[in-house]
Amino acid sequence: MPESPYPTSTDVLVLHALRCIGFAGLARVAEATGLPESDAESELIDLAVAGLVTCVPGDFGGWGLTEAGRAADAEWIRGELEAAGTRTAVAGAYDDFLVLNPELLDLCTAWQMRSADGAAVPNDHTDPAYDARVLDLFTDFHRRADAVCADLSAAMLRFQRYRVRFATALARARSGAVEYVTDNLDSYHIVWFQLHEDLLATLGIPRD
Amino acid sequence: MTWIHPLSAETEETPSVLGGKGYGLVVLRRLGLPVPPGFVISTGACRAFLRDGRFPDGLDAELAAAVSDLETATRRRFGGPGRPLALSVRSGGSVSMPGMMNTVLDLGLTAEATAELAAETGDVRFALDSRLRFLSSFASAVIGLAPESLEAVAGETAERGSGGEEAHLAGAIRGVEALIRERTGGPVPDDAMRQLELAVRAVFSSWNTPRATTYRALHAIPHDLGTAVTVQAMVFGNRDEHSGAGVAFSRNPDTGERIPFGDVLFGRQGEDVVSGRSTTRPLAELAEREPAVWAGLLDAMGRIEEHHRDACYVEFTFEAGRLWLLQTRPGGLVGRAAVRVAVDLADEGVISRREALLRVSPRHLRYAGTSRIEAAGTLDILTRGLGACPGVATGRVATTADRAVRMAAGGPVILVRPQTSPLDMHGLAAAAGVVTARGGPASHAAVVARAMGKPAVVGAADLTVDAASVRAAGRVFPEGTFITIDGTGGEVVVGSPRITTAPADSLLHRLLGWADEISGGGSNRDDAERLAAAHAVLVKQPGTRQGP
């Protein structure tokens, strides 16, 4: 019998979500973790009391990590990976992710820009056939990306949430909410960007 | 030979057989320009390999014969013993595409050949540097290791070694070799011919990587073309202080002015220029440091322009003061640069006015109204990168997302980061524009900037972002410095230069005047329509070349 994937406690889940998505309001924290807003808020308040997160007011404000929160997250996530004993599996999946990453960025770029006789010009989304072609390729890409996320989820249960978020973004984009490709904060690209950050943070790889 | 064609003036095959790269090199040979000796494995061999899963009959023998010819031509031995022959192996379909295996350099530098190279040149550092480049490019291109992992392990093991540069290189080589063993269960074969075979197979196979397949689907490129493989004797830009590599446009690709434009790296190989990993120098520095190479380059670009009757792009290397051309293609300029080149060439009598009209796409004119920094006058250039989201933004430099948010309350801010992470999103939202030191037009930063409609410059390789300042070209600019960025041309300028929103240039008006003469129409339509009307007339006339 294979062991079931390692579960993450709720406080770590919330702290680490903030570590990967950056400053965010309650709704986005709930969305990223899959927790009900009330549960997410309760965790955030506990984390704030512990000095690990803080809530910044203002137009671009929201919940964010303190320096202490960042350090705690690094320690907890490292400890979790050791406890699960799945570093090799996560590192292998990260290699697979790195193969997919440039293709995803190609696809996002093709969604935003088109080649007009050799010049890159903004895609004004007036050519439904072109947009449909890009979305079809996204759908094909998603199958391969989902396989990597499945490997990750088998190593560490919290990665399962990305499968849900990618599938939701793609389904919404395909049903006509095209801002879910690259443009809004739950778009396929933004979730991918966060997964990239998550893998770097999980494996302790600096971004440069 | 059936599958292999030499890079010689007599080779008559078309780009569909030789690939764009190989064909361009044959053209250079015909023009009598310096090209390292080599050969092209045809796209037909690739198609056969992809169909049958093995080299077609006869390819092995042709490959051995072609290498043997190259040994004779260079008076070197592939894999030693004696003066070693090292090869570059590059892919090149009739169109280039991302996701394909790109390049293996210094192939054939086995452990023994590396020692021979050190003995021949008396330069151990150079030989080890070349061996490291071979292992890294082979591991990345053939074995599929991520460049990020390779750089990390090379850097790590190099740091641990003490002593001089040679010890560092030896350490880095050990690190890369260990990583390769760890990931593949064995070393890179120490047999030069076997290395070549594996590299050629990897180029062929890379035609069908998912990323390349996706790219073809996006750009309506047929899946059955296959890629050619160009194999050449190495020329070493890392040989000594009179060596280096660069890229050059015969005319400024941004403005179209008849001033050669490009980047050069001294003491390095060409991959370092193209990858954007190293800080390049403006091409003009070549004139001061290597006047003979510079003169040769100007002469070569002149001859290539004359041949194509168009502006051109070249990639070059110089080894011990001697110039070599590694790639060329004509034209490729767009927007206002294309307009200027077309009108200038017509004025120079190189092409007719009709051809000048056909050189400019009406679709380019549709976007010529995007704001740009005015190129005229003296700009205080802070750095240059790649334009990733068109438009101009002016504001004060902020080096962290948090400070961008705080400073934005007092006026527009430009967020300047080494690269971006999701933790920068609130800073991006608050900023008027963004500059990153790393990344290309298809990077997270570029995708996010376009999603938010913020002008963006990415991959400004000579830019260093410190805690509260930025550095470039030896100058330091504190946070709060007022800068302007151009997300089309990639310029980052100190202060607030003049901005143009329409191509105010007289050249465009002249071109459109010619267009009206052809179409018989008036000037009461937009620019793109006037040009399109002329195209419609011209393409119906016999003997008119369709372009661009």
Side-chain angles (χ1 to χ4, degrees), chain A residues 18-23 28 60-61 70 94-95 97-110 112-124 130 133-134 137 140 144 182-185 189-190 192-194 196-197 207-208, chain B residues 98-99 144 146 148-149 183 210-211 213-215 217-220 332 334-335 361-364 367 388-390 402 405 408 418-431 438 441-452 548:
Chain A
L18 266 188
R19 165 68 184 80
C20 299
I21 69 177
F23 271 87
R28 288 186 57 219
F60 304 102
R70 216 179 145 99
Y94 176 60
D95 282 346
F97 173 92
L98 286 179
V99 173
L100 291 172
N101 189 48
E103 186 184 349
L104 185 275
L105 292 169
D106 286 349
L107 282 170
C108 292
T109 302
Q112 296 175 318
M113 307 288 284
R114 288 191 70 172
S115 168
D117 297 331
V121 301
N123 177 16
D124 57 12
Y130 178 82
R133 191 156 84 219
V134 178
L137 289 164
D140 176 73
R144 287 174 279 129
T182 55
D183 290 0
N184 75 21
L185 288 170
H189 172 255
I190 292 293
W192 185 264
F193 196 14
Q194 292 166 2
H196 196 169
E197 186 71 12
R207 219 175 220 287
D208 38 8
Chain B
E148 292 92 336
S149 320
R183 294 297 170 87
R211 188 177 174 208
T213 308
T214 295
Y215 184 86
L218 279 174
H219 296 91
V334 299
S361 161
R363 296 170 74 186
H364 294 177
Y367 295 92
C389 183
D402 288 345
V405 168
Q419 59 185 334
T420 62
S421 87
L423 307 184
D424 297 318
M425 290 294 290
H426 60 304
L428 279 162
R438 288 196 289 280
S443 60
H444 291 307
V447 171
V448 169
R450 287 192 293 260
M452 293 180 171

Side-chain angles (χ1 to χ4, degrees), chain B residues 174-544:
Chain B
R174 279 194 301 276
V176 171
E177 284 175 334
L179 181 69
I180 292 169
R181 270 195 306 276
E182 180 193 317
R183 294 297 170 87
T184 65
V188 170
D190 209 40
D191 170 336
M193 205 60 203
R194 180 72 186 140
Q195 290 169 3
L196 177 58
E197 224 175 273
L198 289 172
V200 172
R201 290 174 71 102
V203 174
F204 285 165
S205 302
S206 72
W207 177 259
N208 280 336
T209 62
R211 188 177 174 208
T213 308
T214 295
Y215 184 86
R216 288 196 296 275
L218 279 174
H219 296 91
I221 299 164
H223 289 297
D224 57 0
L225 298 176
T227 180
V229 186
T230 302
V231 180
Q232 286 177 283
M234 275 302 297
V235 284
F236 295 100
N238 57 338
R239 175 73 187 81
D240 59 20
E241 77 263 37
H242 296 292
S243 304
V247 299
F249 292 90
S250 60
R251 305 188 185 216
N252 184 318
D254 201 32
T255 63
E257 285 169 288
R258 194 169 187 176
I259 299 168
F261 183 93
D263 300 302
V264 63
L265 259 180
F266 294 93
R268 307 293 277 276
Q269 285 185 175
E271 292 312 295
D272 298 330
V273 183
V274 185
S275 71
R277 278 200 299 270
S278 301
T279 303
T280 56
R281 307 298 310 159
L283 183 66
E285 284 192 16
L286 193 60
E288 298 155 33
R289 284 186 53 173
E290 297 295 331
V293 172
W294 173 250
L297 183 65
L298 292 187
D299 170 63
M301 289 199 292
R303 279 197 259 173
I304 299 166
E305 275 211 354
E306 201 179 322
H307 173 78
H308 290 296
R309 300 184 305 127
D310 201 351
C312 68
Y313 165 86
V314 299
E315 293 179 13
F316 63 93
T317 285
F318 49 104
E319 178 182 337
R322 185 163 176 203
L323 173 72
W324 297 95
L325 301 180
L326 300 182
Q327 190 174 350
T328 184
R329 58 173 181 269
L333 302 189
V334 299
R336 65 182 178 186
V339 170
R340 175 157 197 160
V341 170
V343 173
D344 281 352
L345 287 171
D347 286 347
E348 290 162 25
V350 175
I351 60 174
S352 67
R353 288 182 175 184
R354 293 172 172 234
E355 194 164 358
L357 286 166
L358 288 168
R359 290 275 177 93
V360 180
S361 161
R363 296 170 74 186
H364 294 177
L365 293 188
R366 216 159 281 152
Y367 295 92
T370 306
S371 296
R372 299 292 313 270
I373 292 175
E374 197 171 287
T378 49
L379 294 177
D380 184 3
I381 300 272
L382 193 160
T383 184
R384 274 175 204 283
L386 301 164
C389 183
V392 173
T394 296
R396 288 176 300 141
V397 170
T399 60
T400 68
D402 288 345
R403 275 200 295 277
V405 168
R406 281 204 293 279
M407 288 166 62
V413 166
I414 307 292
L415 179 63
V416 183
R417 297 287 298 152
Q419 59 185 334
T420 62
S421 87
L423 307 184
D424 297 318
M425 290 294 290
H426 60 304
L428 279 162
V434 60
V435 178
T436 68
R438 288 196 289 280
S443 60
H444 291 307
V447 171
V448 169
R450 287 192 293 260
M452 293 180 171
K454 313 250 173 176
V457 174
V458 298
D462 76 335
L463 183 71
T464 307
V465 182
D466 296 320
S469 62
V470 297
R471 272 182 291 143
R475 298 198 294 168
V476 178
F477 301 89
E479 204 159 36
T481 302
F482 218 65
I483 63 168
T484 300
I485 68 171
D486 184 331
T488 304
E491 295 88 1
V492 178
V493 174
V494 182
S496 35
R498 288 178 54 163
I499 294 165
T500 63
T501 43
D505 62 69
S506 55
L507 294 165
L508 178 62
H509 292 304
R510 287 182 60 207
L511 187 82
L512 292 174
W514 302 344
D516 294 343
E517 279 172 33
I518 299 285
S519 68
S523 55
N524 56 340
R525 298 160 297 170
D526 79 23
D527 297 349
E529 284 171 18
R530 288 165 74 187
L531 183 57
H535 278 204
V537 175
L538 287 170
V539 296
K540 283 188 208 134
Q541 295 178 351
T544 307

Side-chain angles (χ1 to χ4, degrees), chain A residues 140-151:
Chain A
D140 176 73
F141 174 88
H142 175 70
R143 275 194 289 274
R144 287 174 279 129
D146 188 55
V148 175
C149 291
D151 291 345

Side-chain angles (χ1 to χ4, degrees), chain B residues 3-4 55-65 193 197:
Chain B
W3 306 111
I4 293 184
F55 278 0
D57 291 340
L59 180 56
D60 282 314
E62 286 188 28
L63 200 54
M193 205 60 203
E197 224 175 273

